[in-house]
Amino acid sequence: MKNVYNFSWEDLGNLAEGRPNLGGETSVAIYRLMQFTFKDVLSKELGREKTCELFVKAGLLAGREFCRNVLNPDLPFDEFIADLKAKLIDLKVGVLRVEQADMESLNFVLTVSEDLDCSGLPIFGETVCDYDEGFIAGILKEYTGKDFTAKEVDCWAIGDRTCRFEVKPVEA
Amino acid sequence: MNSTQALNAIGSCLALAMERGLGKNGLVFPVECKEAEDDTFQNSCQNLQQIFAQMNESYRFAEALANGELKTEVSRSNIFAMPLKALQASLRHLTWQTNQVADGDLSQQVDFLGEFSLSFNRMIKSLRDKKSLEQRLKTITDVLGEGVYLVDTEGRLIFANPEAERLLGYSFQEMTGEMVLHVIHKQYADGTFFPPEGTQLGTAIRTGQAYNSDDCVFACKSGRLMPVSLACRPVITGGKLEGTVIAFHDITEQKKYQESLQTINALLEKQASTDTLTGIYNRLKFSKLLAMEISRARRYQSSMAIIMFDIDKFKEINDAYGHQAGDSVLIDMARVVNANVRTTDIFARWGGEEFMVIAPSCTLDQGVQFAEMLRFRVAQTTFSVPRKVTASFGVSVFRSNDTELSLTNRADNALYRAKGNGRNRVEAEDAEAFYHQAGASRPPTS
Ligand SMILES: [Zn+2]
């Protein structure tokens, strides 16, 4: 067994062939079950902070791959966002909405409602969408070629009805 | 304070709020928690107090939203404010979307926001339809081959198609908002400037009238005055004049063609009326001019003399020196006489070696004197043949009942007598014979 795994989009497999009856979809509960159990186990091995950091990293990789394989990074920004919104709805990830987009400073405020990770959770008092933070930053990195940080400033899990992310380019 | 007292206080506080609304201070919790009689009751009081505070906060938050203030923040733990926060997020998003549309982005949709989505998406669709219609119209005007300007009611340029830019050399950018007619339409075709009251095109634009013209010129950026054919039509929306469309094209080539046609026609006309050998009028043109002069003399009761003359012994000249020499005698004869007639006289070749002169405003005597002068000049002239060339003249004068034929016949008869009386002389019409014959009144003979 190799020591390191490198993700590739093909590893997601041929779902049509592999799941002829059950298809490509699963339940959100099962998705969350996996995420939260990972969080449980990893935090006990590595600590809470390190776990969050790893979730952001994984989300970033997912975002880049998603942009490369599902989106069209050649579209102008307005159309790219329209396409991203449509795809996230199609794939039942969440309802992405833009509140601010400053194309000069590349500062964005985005919200995700009906989020796959957190909507409907009990109030924990801390944001939980670490994976989403990475995912958004990853998509924008792939689209613009620049590094971004996405910070979840509002989250269902802290009493908001929608998750709000402030996205900024990483200062060089 | 016992629980009954506390409940009563809370009850009357709520009753007042339900009667008068929350007011400026909101709900004020009427119980001092520390004064509650036991710990359990104190706890409940604290929860209730917190609920009161949350209700006050969410009420103020809702008020801010109602006023369109979308940046107001509210504390996380406020359970009443949660759907309001979702509303705030939706409104922020709609604001962004609307700004996007204002900036020309029609690719967005609003998802899952109920009636907001329906209305917004309907607006986007209608704007997209409008845009594609505009695009189609733009394509049409792009390929039209006709310059198109759209001006507002004051004449300021709103739109120019590429053909208009190409024709006049002004880009749309440099002309946008300009009073377009002040730049391109200020002169007549000959370069003189319009009077201050302006032109028909300017009036058509101001008053919303349709107007067509093939006689305008537009000034190009290069300074050239381009003759244009133009059509101008008002744009009326909902009964209100919104502006005017001016469509035009360059008619330089047509104008040139028209001018060359006019030149050709004038040439043809001249050819049809000119004697090819001598260059003076031919008999056909003479007849037309005589008819005009007769009707003029009749209308104004003016006098008019006719002089018919003939080169003496022309057949001998032809026989002796050949036809070419004869032709040059004819040419010289025409030149000599032409040089001695007045500009108002009409001189024509009648046929062969015969010529005619119409002398308006001449009496018979004046006509005879005129003919005598011509006879003398001819006799004085050296022709290109080695012999003396003379001519004989017959003169008649217009009478009120004359026809072309009667008038020329009398001149012809007089000419015949001049020949019979020895040539190189002038004879007037035989007045007595005419009066006797026709019983007409005697002509003026002063
Ligand atoms: Zn969240």
Side-chain angles (χ1 to χ4, degrees):
Chain A
M1 201 176 174
K2 271 192 208 162
N3 215 10
V4 164
Y5 166 69
N6 287 314
F7 173 79
S8 115
W9 194 259
E10 283 69 40
D11 293 353
L12 297 179
N14 185 339
L15 294 176
E17 192 187 289
R19 286 169 59 104
N21 298 307
L22 296 179
E25 292 179 13
T26 183
S27 84
V28 178
I30 294 305
Y31 167 86
R32 286 185 184 174
L33 177 67
M34 183 169 81
Q35 233 200 66
F36 287 101
T37 49
F38 264 121
K39 240 175 212 173
D40 178 298
V41 174
L42 289 175
S43 68
K44 280 166 189 154
E45 294 283 328
L46 307 166
R48 194 80 178 97
E49 205 176 317
K50 186 70 185 167
T51 304
C52 283
E53 196 189 308
L54 290 179
F55 265 73
V56 172
K57 264 192 181 171
L60 191 97
L61 176 61
R64 295 191 66 177
E65 290 291 335
F66 183 78
C67 184
R68 218 177 284 156
N69 291 284
V70 180
L71 303 175
N72 177 3
D74 296 329
L75 289 175
F77 181 74
D78 294 338
E79 286 170 44
F80 177 76
I81 290 294
D83 181 43
L84 171 62
K85 279 158 57 178
K87 292 273 163 51
L88 293 181
I89 289 170
D90 279 356
L91 297 169
K92 303 192 192 307
V93 177
V95 183
L96 175 75
R97 299 196 173 105
V98 181
E99 287 187 354
Q100 273 174 48
D102 183 338
M103 289 312 290
E104 271 181 31
S105 64
L106 295 174
N107 278 286
F108 305 95
V109 177
L110 312 173
T111 64
V112 181
S113 303
E114 302 191 33
D115 185 70
L116 189 53
D117 290 349
C118 75
S119 296
L121 291 184
I123 297 173
F124 291 158
E126 56 182 289
T127 65
V128 297
C129 300
D130 321 304
Y131 190 77
D132 274 8
E133 289 180 351
F135 190 71
I136 289 168
I139 289 172
L140 283 169
K141 179 178 170 61
E142 196 61 29
Y143 180 71
T144 62
K146 294 195 168 73
D147 286 325
F148 282 88
T149 56
K151 187 85 206 86
E152 189 181 36
V153 291
D154 292 313
C155 181
W156 190 295
I158 55 171
D160 301 296
R161 274 302 167 100
T162 186
C163 299
R164 184 175 278 116
F165 298 87
E166 285 180 1
V167 189
K168 295 183 179 114
V170 175
E171 303 294 330
Chain B
M1 189 183 267
N2 65 30
S3 55
T4 312
Q5 287 170 320
L7 274 176
N8 281 340
I10 292 168
S12 49
C13 163
L14 290 176
L16 192 70
M18 282 189 278
E19 201 176 292
R20 304 231 178 117
L22 292 192
K24 215 175 82 185
N25 297 323
L27 288 173
V28 181
F29 192 64
V31 180
E32 195 61 57
C33 296
K34 284 176 212 145
E35 291 170 14
E37 51 188 7
D38 59 55
D39 281 359
T40 319
F41 185 45
Q42 195 170 349
N43 231 353
S44 302
C45 278
Q46 273 164 352
N47 279 340
L48 268 175
Q49 189 173 25
Q50 215 181 336
I51 294 288
F52 268 50
Q54 286 194 4
M55 287 203 285
N56 284 333
E57 192 192 27
S58 78
Y59 184 84
R60 279 193 300 276
F61 186 53
E63 265 185 333
L65 283 182
N67 290 331
E69 291 157 23
L70 301 184
K71 289 194 173 125
T72 315
E73 298 209 1
V74 68
S75 57
R76 286 246 152 78
S77 52
N78 191 327
I79 53 167
F80 300 108
M82 282 174 74
L84 291 175
K85 282 199 228 171
L87 174 64
Q88 185 191 47
S90 301
L91 290 174
R92 282 188 191 177
H93 174 58
L94 276 173
T95 307
W96 178 79
Q97 292 279 33
T98 309
N99 285 327
Q100 285 295 106
V101 173
D103 292 340
D105 173 16
L106 300 183
S107 61
Q108 307 299 329
Q109 288 276 312
V110 170
D111 302 297
F112 310 121
L113 289 184
E115 288 185 35
F116 287 145
S117 291
L118 290 180
S119 305
F120 188 91
N121 295 343
R122 221 182 114 226
M123 174 182 79
I124 286 281
K125 184 179 180 305
S126 112
L127 287 173
R128 275 191 204 140
D129 290 349
K130 195 163 155 254
K131 198 175 176 184
S132 81
L133 186 66
E134 272 171 15
Q135 189 55 47
R136 263 179 263 164
L137 282 176
K138 187 178 176 304
T139 311
I140 291 170
T141 62
D142 282 0
V143 300
L144 199 55
E146 184 96 357
V148 178
Y149 277 151
L150 179 61
V151 297
D152 65 16
T153 48
E154 287 175 63
R156 287 178 211 285
L157 189 71
I158 303 170
F159 170 81
N161 75 341
E163 183 64 3
E165 293 180 316
R166 191 189 68 80
L167 283 173
L168 299 183
Y170 289 105
S171 71
F172 176 50
Q173 270 81 4
E174 67 189 306
M175 290 286 267
T176 309
E178 291 283 329
M179 303 290 279
V180 69
L181 291 194
H182 292 184
V183 181
I184 62 160
H185 187 63
K186 49 191 177 183
Q187 285 155 286
Y188 294 106
D190 65 4
T192 54
F193 285 86
F194 294 139
E197 63 266 26
T199 61
Q200 283 176 287
L201 179 56
T203 310
I205 289 174
R206 275 197 311 281
T207 57
Q209 303 296 310
Y211 174 69
N212 283 46
S213 170
D214 289 330
D215 282 321
C216 286
V217 292
F218 280 173
C220 302
K221 196 178 181 184
S222 64
R224 181 168 100 83
L225 292 179
M226 171 185 288
V228 292
S229 170
L230 68 88
C232 119
R233 292 288 179 276
V235 179
I236 293 164
T237 314
K240 192 168 161 274
L241 180 65
E242 298 260 279
T244 301
V245 173
I246 307 165
F248 61 96
H249 62 267
D250 182 4
I251 53 166
T252 307
E253 290 306 315
Q254 283 103 303
K255 285 273 174 198
K256 271 191 201 156
Y257 178 67
Q258 269 173 12
E259 275 164 25
S260 65
L261 263 190
Q262 278 164 2
T263 313
I264 290 167
N265 281 338
L267 198 68
L268 283 176
E269 222 257 324
K270 193 168 185 314
Q271 276 172 1
S273 61
T274 306
D275 175 60
T276 47
L277 180 68
T278 59
I280 61 175
Y281 289 137
N282 60 17
R283 184 164 178 165
L284 184 72
K285 181 71 176 178
F286 176 81
S287 286
K288 281 185 193 161
L289 292 172
L290 181 59
M292 275 167 55
E293 290 299 329
I294 284 175
S295 60
R296 193 201 308 259
R298 184 171 288 136
R299 188 167 355 127
Y300 298 111
Q301 296 184 325
S302 54
S303 57
M304 170 176 74
I306 295 289
I307 301 165
M308 180 186 258
F309 67 94
D310 180 302
I311 301 172
D312 294 332
K313 294 182 175 169
F314 186 69
K315 191 172 176 306
E316 281 182 21
I317 296 172
N318 264 340
D319 291 348
Y321 309 106
H323 284 284
Q324 267 190 324
D327 283 353
S328 63
V329 167
L330 287 169
I331 292 166
D332 288 346
M333 179 63 72
R335 189 172 42 75
V336 170
V337 173
N338 209 24
N340 285 284
V341 296
R342 304 167 301 178
T343 50
T344 50
D345 297 332
I346 291 159
F347 177 38
R349 188 172 171 200
W350 180 249
E353 67 272 28
E354 280 183 321
F355 295 86
M356 278 285 196
V357 176
I358 303 170
S361 313
C362 275
T363 61
L364 185 60
D365 287 352
Q366 288 167 334
V368 169
Q369 280 172 29
F370 187 21
E372 188 55 44
M373 182 271 284
L374 292 177
R375 186 203 62 76
F376 178 74
R377 297 276 192 233
V378 170
Q380 292 290 303
T381 302
T382 308
F383 284 83
S384 56
V385 287
R387 61 176 281 175
K388 192 169 166 59
V389 175
T390 60
S392 300
F393 294 74
V395 184
S396 65
V397 74
F398 172 72
R399 288 161 219 281
S400 58
N401 56 350
D402 258 333
T403 62
E404 289 169 50
L405 188 64
S406 64
L407 183 58
T408 52
N409 270 350
R410 290 204 305 283
D412 197 19
N413 286 338
L415 170 59
Y416 185 73
R417 275 188 286 113
K419 294 277 185 190
N421 292 342
R423 300 189 180 87
N424 190 20
R425 58 181 286 128
V426 176
E427 288 288 346
E429 61 173 273
D430 186 348
E432 294 307 325
F434 176 81
Y435 297 129
H436 183 69
Q437 202 178 20
S441 61
R442 198 176 173 77
T445 51
S446 60

